């Protein structure tokens, strides 16, 4: 069975993203679209982390995640590193 809810996936991503603190610090905000199949798409880090190592690290973690299937929706993950 898949993940229970978007919020449970986001909280586990927040925990996983803590390891990105070795790449930098500050608040990283990553915006993305969850496709109906549960796969994140258009994953982008917001300024000032668009191209930073920490931003790229969090983007990789989000890109690998799987959300519940359903309709397409926008989401974001904010992590304080």
């Amino acid at each position: 069975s898949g993940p229970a809810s978007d919020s449970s996936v986001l909280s586990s991503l927040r925990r996983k993203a803590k390891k990105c603190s070795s790449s930098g610090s500050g608040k990283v905000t990553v915006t993305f679209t969850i496709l109906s199949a549960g796969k994140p798409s258009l994953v982008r880090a917001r300024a000032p982390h668009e191209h930073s190592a920490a931003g790229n690290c969090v983007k990789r973690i989000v890109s690998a995640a799987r959300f519940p299937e359903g309709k397409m929706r926008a989401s974001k993950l904010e992590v304080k590193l």
Side-chain angles (χ1 to χ4, degrees):
S1 72
S5 67
D6 288 1
S7 58
S8 67
V9 178
L10 288 169
S11 51
S12 102
L13 289 177
R14 218 169 273 121
R15 282 192 299 278
K16 286 181 184 157
K18 291 292 183 193
K19 70 171 196 254
C20 294
S21 61
S22 59
S23 313
S25 64
K27 189 169 97 169
V28 178
T29 301
V30 173
T31 59
F32 53 98
T33 300
I34 302 168
L35 301 176
S36 54
K39 191 172 169 8
S41 175
L42 302 172
V43 182
R44 295 199 168 84
R46 287 218 185 125
H49 289 288
E50 303 101 320
H51 306 294
S52 74
N56 288 335
C57 177
V58 177
K59 281 193 325 200
R60 273 196 303 278
I61 288 171
V62 169
S63 296
R66 285 300 165 268
F67 287 84
E69 294 184 12
K71 48 180 195 294
M72 200 163 123
R73 58 217 182 264
S75 189
K76 74 173 179 179
L77 176 70
E78 290 182 331
V79 189
K80 194 153 177 21
L81 300 176

